[in-house]
Amino acid sequence: MKGFTLIEILIVVAIIGLLAMIILVQIDPTELLAKVRDSSRISAVAQLGKSVTAYYVVSNGSEYPSVADWDTDLLAKGQLSTFPSGVRYALPGVSVCQTNIKPSVYPTYCYDFDQSLNNAIVFLTLESQAKRSKCNSGENTYFVYSTADARSGIICSTD
């Protein structure tokens, strides 16, 4: 009867385990999950930004949603059927934006309005290291949608 000895099987299992660990370290699943969460957040900010712009157009260019109740304003005017769910930040050391932040569960999306420029922005803090590495040390990395030019992108800021 031919077969493998217990030692041979243990050596093969150990080699497979070692290779799996090396691959896992190279892939960095924590960073991959942060990238996925950021993608979901970025998509929601683009949707929210377009909804804020549509709110302004429907209001005949006279008003943007109020800063305190921007989520309910967008829903009340029919610019959103449901407000996007918040996406929990999982990596330590990432501070969530705090300006008029919504929703109440997993607060994620921030909103601000500048009366003098007649411009509204929807923004959030990015979590993945790949995105945060685009900014200098000590700067926060935000993804921002601006109604001024209906564009979005990454902004680095210390405040």
Side-chain angles (χ1 to χ4, degrees):
M1 181 164 129
K2 293 192 174 201
F4 296 106
T5 66
L6 182 58
I7 297 295
E8 290 171 330
I9 292 174
L10 289 174
I11 290 172
V12 169
V13 169
I15 290 171
I16 290 172
L18 184 63
L19 290 173
M21 187 177 300
I22 290 170
I23 290 171
L24 205 65
V25 168
Q26 292 296 319
I27 292 176
D28 191 5
T30 305
E31 176 66 10
L32 285 177
L33 290 173
K35 285 179 183 178
V36 168
R37 288 189 297 272
D38 276 352
S39 293
S40 175
R41 292 181 191 112
I42 287 169
S43 174
V45 162
Q47 175 192 7
L48 289 168
K50 290 173 185 171
S51 297
V52 168
T53 301
Y55 183 100
Y56 182 74
V57 170
V58 167
S59 301
N60 295 320
S62 63
E63 67 177 341
Y64 282 103
S66 69
V67 291
D69 300 315
W70 66 284
D71 56 340
T72 55
D73 284 355
L74 290 173
L75 293 168
K77 283 246 177 144
Q79 301 311 315
L80 291 173
S81 56
T82 59
F83 196 84
S85 301
V87 181
R88 183 178 63 84
Y89 287 85
L91 293 181
V94 177
S95 58
V96 180
C97 59
Q98 296 297 318
T99 308
N100 307 310
I101 190 167
K102 302 291 181 186
S104 56
V105 177
Y106 299 133
T108 305
Y109 314 108
C110 293
Y111 171 78
D112 205 3
F113 170 70
D114 187 335
Q115 182 102 21
S116 64
L117 297 174
N118 198 29
N119 177 35
I121 60 171
V122 180
F123 61 103
L124 58 83
T125 305
L126 292 169
E127 180 179 14
S128 72
Q129 185 58 41
K131 300 284 188 197
R132 292 189 301 149
S133 67
K134 295 180 180 190
C135 295
N136 295 325
S137 177
E139 290 182 320
N140 292 318
T141 309
Y142 298 104
F143 184 81
V144 179
Y145 181 96
S146 172
T147 61
D149 52 6
R151 291 177 48 176
S152 55
I154 294 176
I155 292 180
C156 304
S157 176
T158 55
D159 56 354

